[in-house]
């Protein structure tokens, strides 16, 4: 008889444990790491109107025997940045367009784009991201999106905003293994990110972020690390359920190295008194695209300064939960951010 209370307490404890597991598995999924619940996201998504125009498809649908009329028709759809007024009446320009549409490489790139960059797939990826964006920036508009095939112009950014229109060079997202990237001299550490999976991320990381990132002089290494870290954190908030390595664009091996040796990298920078170091050449070896980060050896991934800055920003936002994303993006007090981040990764 005396065992009954014990059994009762045991049943209550089991029930409490199961309730806790249920909460962790199901309830918390409703609140991702950007602290926006599914209801707020759904309401934001209902107000979305994402417009994607496929300029390259419209060009390839033109009647080659009547280019002038077709281009004039397209000029009513596309901005003058793409089709200058009256250009259809310039024979040399029409011949140039004809040569472009008959170029075997351009044709091949267009066929790959039709296969690998489908509008419906892009919309599916962008709807939740722009939903989060509208929660963070409810008064901001969603830019019109226009896709292009410039012909693997590696001097151009793959994604950019001009006159409030977002342009995507879709020929830079056709699959890392296609031979055309190697043919134009694109290094492997860049071409490995020429996959569709990176396109939605790049829209925010390379373009949308600049609508909100307050620009300020970046004189020292820490200035650059924090600024680049902000870009990745901003992007992360729009893709809270995406693998972190895709946000920065690392392979699994590179991401593992960066995480494992983050503390060592930070300690190295501190011990060498490089945190406030200046000089373009010095800063570039930590920040810019490269096969590896020179101070850390050939096995390290490139842009370890960017990765470290991102982790510093994550620490800053975790330790200062009252700071909003908008406030973070506008804050250029790098010293304050560094101090309040309490960033102290431990070396291995």
């Amino acid at each position: 008889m005396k065992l009954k209370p014990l059994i009762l307490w045991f049943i209550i404890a089991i029930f409490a444990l199961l309730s806790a597991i249920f909460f962790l598995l199901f309830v918390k999924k409703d609140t991702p790491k950007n602290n926006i619940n599914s209801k707020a996201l759904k309401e934001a998504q209902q107000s979305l109107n994402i417009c994607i125009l496929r300029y390259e498809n419209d060009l390839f649908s033109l009647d080659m025997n009547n280019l002038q009329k077709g281009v004039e028709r397209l000029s009513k759809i596309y901005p003058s940045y793409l089709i200058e007024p009256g250009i259809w009446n310039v024979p040399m320009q029409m011949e140039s367009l004809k040569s472009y549409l008959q170029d075997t490489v351009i044709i091949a790139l267009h066929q790959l784009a039709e296969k690998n960059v489908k509008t419906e797939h892009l919309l599916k990826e962008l709807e939740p991201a722009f939903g989060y964006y509208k929660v963070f920036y409810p008064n901001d508009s969603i830019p019109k999106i226009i896709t292009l095939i410039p012909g693997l112009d590696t001097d151009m950014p793959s994604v950019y905003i001009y006159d409030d229109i977002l342009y995507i060079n879709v020929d830079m997202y056709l699959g890392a293994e296609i031979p055309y990237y190697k043919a134009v001299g694109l290094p492997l550490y860049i071409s490995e990110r020429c996959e569709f999976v990176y396109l939605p991320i790049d829209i925010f990381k390379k373009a949308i972020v600049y609508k909100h990132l307050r620009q300020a002089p970046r004189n020292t290494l820490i200035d650059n690390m924090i600024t680049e870290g902000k870009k990745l954190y901003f992007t992360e908030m729009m893709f809270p359920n995406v693998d972190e390595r895709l946000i920065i664009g690392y392979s699994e091996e590179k991401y593992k190295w960066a995480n494992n040796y983050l503390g060592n990298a930070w300690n190295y920078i501190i011990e060498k008194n490089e945190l406030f170091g200046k000089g373009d050449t010095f800063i570039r070896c930590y920040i810019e695209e490269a096969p590896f980060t020179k101070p850390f050896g050939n096995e390290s991934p490139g842009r370890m300064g960017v990765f470290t800055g991102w982790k510093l920003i994550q620490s800053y936002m975790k330790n200062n939960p009252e700071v909003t994303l908008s406030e973070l993006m506008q804050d250029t007090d790098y010293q304050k951010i560094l101090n309040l981040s309490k960033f102290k990764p431990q070396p291995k």
Side-chain angles (χ1 to χ4, degrees):
M1 294 296 291
K2 291 183 180 181
L3 292 177
K4 285 186 177 180
L6 291 176
I7 295 173
L8 181 60
W9 281 111
F10 178 78
I11 293 172
I12 292 173
I14 291 295
F15 179 80
L17 178 61
L18 291 174
S19 298
I21 293 173
F22 177 87
F23 179 83
L24 289 171
L25 291 178
F26 298 99
V27 177
K28 282 201 171 183
K29 283 185 178 180
D30 199 39
T31 306
K33 60 185 174 181
N34 61 11
N35 294 321
I36 295 175
N37 61 40
S38 59
K39 182 179 179 181
L41 175 62
K42 186 175 181 180
E43 290 175 353
Q45 285 179 325
Q46 290 174 345
S47 66
L48 293 179
N49 182 22
I50 304 174
C51 174
I52 300 177
L53 299 178
R54 302 303 298 262
Y55 182 60
E56 75 282 5
N57 289 347
D58 286 342
L59 285 181
F60 273 95
S61 69
L62 293 174
D63 181 356
M64 296 292 285
N65 297 315
N66 198 0
L67 276 181
Q68 287 179 289
K69 186 176 180 180
V71 172
E72 184 177 6
R73 175 178 56 81
L74 291 184
S75 71
K76 298 174 183 177
I77 302 172
Y78 292 97
S80 59
Y81 170 72
L82 295 178
I83 304 177
E84 296 179 19
I87 200 172
W88 49 89
N89 293 320
V90 182
M92 186 180 295
Q93 294 290 349
M94 291 301 96
E95 284 301 315
S96 178
L97 175 59
K98 186 177 292 186
S99 296
Y100 169 86
L101 293 173
Q102 292 175 336
D103 186 292
T104 54
V105 173
I106 297 296
I107 292 170
L109 293 174
H110 178 241
Q111 290 172 344
L112 285 168
E114 284 189 305
K115 178 182 178 181
N116 296 311
V117 188
K118 295 184 182 296
T119 303
E120 58 269 28
H121 294 168
L122 186 54
L123 279 170
K124 183 179 178 181
E125 297 296 323
L126 288 179
E127 282 176 354
F130 273 120
Y132 287 121
Y133 179 72
K134 287 293 287 183
V135 175
F136 284 113
Y137 297 96
N139 299 321
D140 204 32
S141 59
I142 305 298
K144 181 187 293 184
I145 299 172
I146 297 178
T147 64
L148 317 164
I149 295 181
L152 300 177
D153 188 341
T154 55
D155 291 329
M156 292 179 67
S158 58
V159 181
Y160 58 97
I161 289 180
Y162 181 75
D163 279 351
D164 292 326
I165 296 175
L166 192 147
Y167 294 93
I168 302 172
N169 295 340
V170 290
D171 52 358
M172 295 303 293
Y173 297 95
L174 302 180
E177 301 302 321
I178 69 168
Y180 301 104
Y181 296 140
K182 187 176 181 180
V184 297
L186 203 64
L188 180 61
Y189 60 86
I190 293 179
S191 65
E192 65 186 5
R193 299 199 305 274
C194 292
E195 300 277 0
F196 174 79
V197 68
Y198 293 107
L199 175 50
I201 293 169
D202 283 354
I203 285 175
F204 286 87
K205 184 169 68 175
K206 295 183 176 181
I208 301 292
V209 66
Y210 288 105
K211 297 177 69 177
H212 306 284
L213 180 67
R214 184 180 177 187
Q215 298 294 342
R218 291 191 275 172
N219 300 316
T220 66
L221 177 59
I222 189 60
D223 297 347
N224 283 270
M225 289 169 62
I226 286 175
T227 300
E228 295 302 318
K230 283 184 184 183
K231 294 178 188 177
L232 294 182
Y233 185 83
F234 173 91
T235 306
E236 176 189 4
M237 292 300 98
M238 308 307 155
F239 297 92
N241 301 312
V242 168
D243 192 327
E244 275 198 355
R245 71 175 186 84
L246 297 177
I247 301 295
I248 191 169
Y250 279 169
S251 65
E252 289 184 9
E253 183 180 2
K254 289 179 179 180
Y255 181 73
K256 184 178 179 180
W257 193 101
N259 262 315
N260 285 343
Y261 295 104
L262 173 63
N264 301 69
W266 181 251
N267 269 20
Y268 176 91
I269 293 171
I270 298 297
E271 290 173 0
K272 295 290 183 179
N273 293 318
E274 292 185 342
L275 202 59
F276 299 97
K278 299 180 180 180
D280 290 343
T281 303
F282 159 70
I283 291 172
R284 277 200 298 269
C285 76
Y286 282 103
I287 299 297
E288 292 195 353
E289 296 280 8
F292 56 88
T293 303
K294 191 174 180 179
F296 307 135
N298 294 3
E299 293 186 1
S300 67
R303 300 174 291 134
M304 266 302 290
V306 176
F307 181 83
T308 307
W310 181 25
K311 293 299 164 180
L312 187 152
I313 291 297
Q314 287 180 340
S315 180
Y316 171 74
M317 294 301 282
K318 180 180 179 180
N319 288 301
N320 300 274
E322 75 284 355
V323 177
T324 67
L325 179 62
S326 180
E327 289 170 342
L328 170 69
M329 301 305 289
Q330 290 294 305
D331 192 349
T332 57
D333 190 339
Y334 304 120
Q335 185 66 61
K336 182 196 75 176
I337 292 173
L338 172 62
N339 293 341
L340 295 181
S341 70
K342 300 179 183 178
F343 184 61
K344 293 181 180 179
Q346 298 302 307
K348 286 189 176 290

